[in-house]
Amino acid sequence: MAHVLKDMQPLRVLLLASAACACAADQSGRTISDEVDEVSLDGSDWRFELDDVADGGAGEGLRPGQEWYMPAHPHPADAIRVPGSWGAQGFGNKTAAYRHAWSGVGWYYRNLSVPASWCASTSHSTAGSDGSRRSSSKIELTIGGIMRRGRAWIDGVQLGTEHIGYLDEWNIEIEDDILCGNSSEKPGIRHDGSTVLNKRLAVRVDNRANHSDGDCFSGCLDLRGMEAVLQVADEHTPVGMEWGGIWDHVSLRRWHPNSVSDLFVYPADPYLVVWGVSSVDLMVNISLREPATASTTVQVSISQDLPTASDGTPARDSSMHAHVVAVGAVVVPAAAEAAQLKLTVNSPNLWSPDTPAMYRATASWGSGRVLNTSVSFGIKHLTTAGPTLRLNGAALYIHGVGDDFTYMETEAPPLDKELYRTRLLTFKRFGFNFIRLHSHFEASEYMAAAAEVGILLSPALPMGAKNGSSHCARLDLAEGI
């Protein structure tokens, strides 16, 4: 027994983290606003136009005298739905392989409406070192994902810098005077007592990769330029994908002072053998959006999802998250950005493909109005004993299948957890308990569905560049290793 335990190399707690914010969690694998702290910009209120980049340059929209990001540039007539690929919505040119393909730039436009309470006032602001007034809350534009580079403007003022990469969330803090300038400062801004109107958001999306600045990711999600690598002789073979656009959710968020932005749960002892034990100690790391303006008490609870479905998967009804198994509190000192505490889960239910037990850690804070953020996770113990994989002490036999980003109708990954549940349960009915995600990472909804139905995942680094760039070549080597 001692020899077996010595050879075992356990992994840490399985985590399926939602994008945390000052809000209440839903069951999609993400989080949603609990009041007016998030204004969704999803939907068909966007207008769209393609920008001719046939010369390989930046396109018409950035040329002096054109400047499509300025308010004077007319709104295009064509509507587009966000999130979603532009090709799947009929934008682009017909090719031998695709009905609508476009490699280049697309421009998105929409008008913004936000609650007037979001804007700075002297009664809800602090004085800066230069004597200016600043709101005590922060307003942020969040774009969950683009394919693959982006720049954004409000009323012609650029927000932040260029965003590069299609795998990470794009968050841009918006200065008060850009979003909330009054009519005397910015003609055309109207106040109706409840809403600030007539702000124009422009987003420029370029789906071309530029390997010279380190934008090396490719793989199943982006096979552009892979014909030579895959030794495809026929130029009409649909290998080079040219999809693009804003493919993930878009919103305006207001962050309150001392807001918790992230939770991370991990075992206090990562080498503890967790099966058959009476309790497991978990560490909860709490990260704030920015340094605390005052000492803040954060309450943390861990609850267990109760399985009710006939297939044994956890309940999806949020009312079932009432089975609290651990509670605690921690004080985040003024000026600190993080804190942690230890919580003990007694008689833990371990995650496995046959019994996908899930837990949820929830942090609550605030006086008067309580804000929440939460993250789902499972507890498992994955080890090796000689040539055998063991999960929670039992031999693990992997029955695997590959999932290679096959979304023919949407091009971009769907953001529908129920769609993924249906798809993954089909895999399970055929006896599979493991999926390799070939050279790509999936959306949060996919990850959450896999955890709930009991599927082990192995995402691969999205690398297949082979483009001659020395920086990308190093990443290719890392992927090969």
Side-chain angles (χ1 to χ4, degrees), residues 220-261:
C220 273
L221 194 143
D222 178 21
L223 289 173
R224 189 190 338 266
M226 293 290 288
E227 291 85 349
V229 176
L230 300 177
Q231 297 181 343
V232 176
D234 181 2
E235 64 179 1
H236 301 304
T237 301
V239 172
M241 298 173 65
E242 296 184 351
W243 75 275
I246 300 175
W247 65 267
D248 208 335
H249 300 292
V250 182
S251 65
L252 287 169
R253 294 176 180 172
R254 180 174 67 157
W255 290 90
H256 292 265
N258 308 322
S259 290
V260 174
S261 61

Side-chain angles (χ1 to χ4, degrees), residues 132-282:
S132 62
R133 305 300 298 183
R134 291 286 297 161
S135 172
S136 57
S137 300
K138 304 295 184 182
I139 299 175
E140 194 172 71
L141 173 66
T142 296
I143 301 177
I146 62 170
M147 183 64 178
R148 63 188 287 144
R149 313 165 72 90
R151 297 171 64 181
W153 297 260
I154 289 181
D155 281 357
V157 178
Q158 183 168 336
L159 306 177
T161 59
E162 182 181 39
H163 175 81
I164 301 175
Y166 58 77
L167 291 175
D168 55 335
E169 193 172 75
W170 182 14
N171 298 305
I172 315 167
E173 185 174 323
I174 303 175
E175 298 293 335
D176 294 348
D177 59 345
I178 295 176
L179 189 64
C180 299
N182 59 41
S183 57
S184 62
E185 297 169 343
K186 289 184 178 291
I189 305 303
R190 295 189 293 109
H191 293 258
D192 63 3
S194 61
T195 307
V196 179
L197 300 172
N198 284 357
K199 287 290 188 177
R200 189 199 202 200
L201 172 64
V203 181
R204 178 184 184 270
V205 176
D206 188 340
N207 70 345
R208 298 170 295 176
N210 182 359
H211 300 302
S212 64
D213 62 7
D215 181 14
C216 302
F217 288 144
S218 54
C220 273
L221 194 143
D222 178 21
L223 289 173
R224 189 190 338 266
M226 293 290 288
E227 291 85 349
V229 176
L230 300 177
Q231 297 181 343
V232 176
D234 181 2
E235 64 179 1
H236 301 304
T237 301
V239 172
M241 298 173 65
E242 296 184 351
W243 75 275
I246 300 175
W247 65 267
D248 208 335
H249 300 292
V250 182
S251 65
L252 287 169
R253 294 176 180 172
R254 180 174 67 157
W255 290 90
H256 292 265
N258 308 322
S259 290
V260 174
S261 61
D262 187 48
L263 290 177
F264 183 68
V265 184
Y266 61 97
D269 180 0
Y271 298 102
L272 175 70
V273 177
V274 296
W275 65 88
V277 300
S278 59
S279 63
V280 172
D281 291 333
L282 301 177

Side-chain angles (χ1 to χ4, degrees), residues 391-459:
L391 180 64
N392 303 331
L396 172 64
Y397 298 96
I398 290 178
H399 305 273
V401 65
D403 198 350
D404 297 348
F405 198 81
T406 49
Y407 303 119
M408 296 297 105
E409 294 181 345
T410 61
E411 294 188 327
L415 304 178
D416 182 350
K417 194 178 76 168
E418 291 307 307
L419 182 151
Y420 293 125
R421 284 179 61 90
T422 300
R423 179 173 178 166
L424 296 175
L425 284 172
T426 300
F427 285 141
K428 289 208 75 175
R429 283 194 291 270
F430 279 95
F432 295 110
N433 62 9
F434 173 89
I435 293 177
R436 179 176 185 257
L437 302 177
H438 190 297
S439 61
H440 76 287
F441 288 78
E442 277 289 355
S444 299
E445 288 82 356
Y446 187 110
M447 302 297 192
E452 290 185 8
V453 305
I455 293 284
L456 290 159
L457 295 179
S458 176

